Amino acid sequence: MDSKKQTPVKYYVGIDVGSASVRAALVDGFGTVVAHADEPIQIWEPQPDHYEQSSADIWAACCSVTKKVVCGVDASQIRGVGFDATCSLVVVDKRFQPLAVNCEGQNYRNVIMWMDHRAVSQVERINATQHRVLSYVGGVMSVEMQPPKLLWLKENLQESCWEKAGYFFDLPDFLSWKATGVTARSLCTVVCKWTYTSDGGWDDSFWKMIGLEDLMKDKYEKIGNHVLSPGESVGKGLTPEAAKDLGLPEGIAVAASLIDAHAGGLGVIGADVKGHNLPCENQPITARVAMICGTSSCHMGVSETPIFVPGVWGPYFSAMVPGLWLNEGGQSATGKLVVGLTLSRGLDELALIYLATIQAIALGTRHILETMQAAGHHINTLFLCGGLSKNPLFVQMHADITGKPVVLSKEVESVLVGAAILGACASGDFVSIQEAMAKMGKIGRVVQPNHQHKRFYDKKYEVFLKLVEHQREYRSIMNSF
């Protein structure tokens, strides 16, 4: 009988804040989800294009789901915690109390959601500046990024919110602050959504040009002057208060966080592919693209040098994988696109429209990949995760239309695995995020393209490109009025 003492299993907690719910998972060092829990969170829509949440409601849900997944587990085996969240804007006062982001003065509603489009006028003025920082977002800033929302708050809620505000957080950074008491920001959030650059930091001229020069006070304290790489340990770990809230021991390592889509990318893109006969085997991770298929689709590609791709966000240094530049393409509403359409007069018509929708999304992915490759990326394999990756037709269409093999994660909850990888890295159990990705990201299935259909989809793609060009012409005409 073997007398050697068995090494205790090491666990990591991944916490993911989505648009409508908070989820947590207990993940072991091999990337297996051992326990999982979720809880809904509230969304307010006080008027069209305004979407708000409560940071207190979100944190309460984080605590509830975490307590559920660690219940019955030896606390000494839990080594680290990682957070990811939507890129929503959290506003608190100088004492870290919530401040209303609404005209009603409801302080508990202190989060402007990522999908809030109240700042259309502000983003148009920001884009009209053609400032050099816009080159890092494909040339045009999205209304869903933070500068236009900040400008909206200053112009519409100056006395009730702007002048009283002590800190503006991206939601992932708010969570790491809540857990550690440290106001450090993640390089992922500030680079991707706030115009911070890894080489030059904040650009004074940009904030002056758009009328937000007051954020420069005290070395940008309100929006962050201490920036950490994703997965880097924050402060001294969990504070006593946060530990009690979450049902975890004090001092457990807490990682610098990620935006939710980036956590999904982290959970799949670095998986060990040996033995699967894939073109990316024995090639650098830059040969891969992670596609996170949720409410919207995000296409994450990394490179060793900065690549500027028209219409694609980035390049962002160390925003997902430390040491590599990230480009991020996207398709809005792909996970909800059939909602609200008058679909059919019968099942056959419904099936045709459904198939056409799936093919259109896949053709859009091919367009994004070809644009990235034309700019300098070298991509030969797709890695899919998220809800739509469970759809066999969606997956096969992406393989057939792009002509590239599609790798599916063994764990469906790749975003939670990505968050847990952050916690694993912060714990010191892995030398780097790259090592943690290779050990904890597991391949489930590979879907190869059916090359017999290549000529058919090539013809469809020609039509798709003509439709894209017509759409550009239409937008140009409408913008001229």
Side-chain angles (χ1 to χ4, degrees), residues 18-191:
S19 298
S21 66
V22 174
R23 304 181 301 156
L26 187 68
V27 182
D28 68 18
F30 301 100
T32 303
V33 175
V34 177
H36 171 271
D38 62 88
E39 188 163 308
I41 49 178
Q42 196 161 354
I43 299 173
W44 288 269
E45 187 183 359
Q47 53 184 294
D49 292 328
H50 289 231
Y51 295 94
E52 298 166 6
Q53 290 182 313
S54 161
S55 63
D57 179 50
I58 290 168
W59 180 250
C62 288
C63 297
S64 176
V65 292
T66 302
K67 285 177 178 175
K68 288 177 183 176
V69 298
V70 302
C71 182
V73 177
D74 183 347
S76 67
Q77 294 176 254
I78 303 172
R79 304 276 298 156
V81 179
F83 292 95
D84 74 78
T86 63
C87 47
S88 300
L89 178 66
V90 184
V91 186
V92 295
D93 66 17
K94 295 172 179 64
R95 296 180 296 111
F96 296 97
Q97 297 303 304
L99 270 179
V101 294
N102 49 75
C103 299
E104 296 86 353
Q106 300 291 333
N107 282 330
Y108 61 92
R109 285 163 38 202
N110 67 319
V111 180
I112 299 180
M113 288 189 71
W114 65 272
M115 60 187 183
D116 185 290
H117 282 200
R118 69 181 69 184
V120 170
S121 168
Q122 287 76 14
V123 80
E124 287 174 351
R125 281 180 274 143
I126 290 171
N127 286 325
T129 68
Q130 298 185 346
H131 193 279
R132 58 179 174 265
V133 299
L134 299 179
S135 64
Y136 287 91
V137 291
V140 179
M141 181 172 285
S142 166
V143 69
E144 294 173 2
M145 292 181 177
Q146 309 303 8
K149 292 174 180 174
L150 292 167
L151 188 55
W152 187 94
L153 288 173
K154 183 176 181 179
E155 293 178 347
N156 292 274
L157 300 175
Q158 177 142 13
E159 291 185 9
S160 62
C161 178
W162 186 257
E163 293 177 358
K164 294 179 180 178
Y167 300 90
F168 299 99
F169 288 103
D170 218 278
L171 182 53
D173 295 323
F174 170 83
L175 297 172
S176 61
W177 164 75
K178 193 72 176 172
T180 65
V182 177
T183 60
R185 306 309 206 272
S186 167
L187 198 58
C188 175
T189 59
V190 294
V191 165

Side-chain angles (χ1 to χ4, degrees), residues 334-384:
T334 50
K336 288 182 176 284
L337 194 61
V338 290
V339 175
L341 295 178
T342 304
L343 284 175
S344 70
R345 289 186 294 268
L347 282 176
D348 288 346
E349 188 177 343
L350 172 62
L352 283 172
I353 293 175
Y354 178 75
L355 177 62
T357 301
I358 296 291
Q359 289 179 346
I361 294 169
L363 289 164
T365 292
R366 176 170 169 176
H367 189 214
I368 290 168
L369 296 180
E370 289 191 359
T371 303
M372 291 174 71
Q373 291 181 134
H377 281 274
H378 302 282
I379 300 159
N380 56 35
T381 311
L382 296 180
F383 288 70
L384 262 63

Side-chain angles (χ1 to χ4, degrees), residues 433-451:
I433 276 190
Q434 287 88 335
E435 183 193 8
M437 285 193 301
K439 293 279 179 66
M440 295 176 70
K442 298 296 182 184
I443 291 179
R445 190 163 64 94
V446 174
V447 177
Q448 296 288 350
N450 185 339
H451 295 294

Side-chain angles (χ1 to χ4, degrees), residues 408-422:
L408 300 176
S409 174
K410 183 178 180 181
E411 289 289 348
V412 176
E413 305 294 352
S414 295
V415 174
L416 284 167
V417 173
I421 285 172
L422 294 175

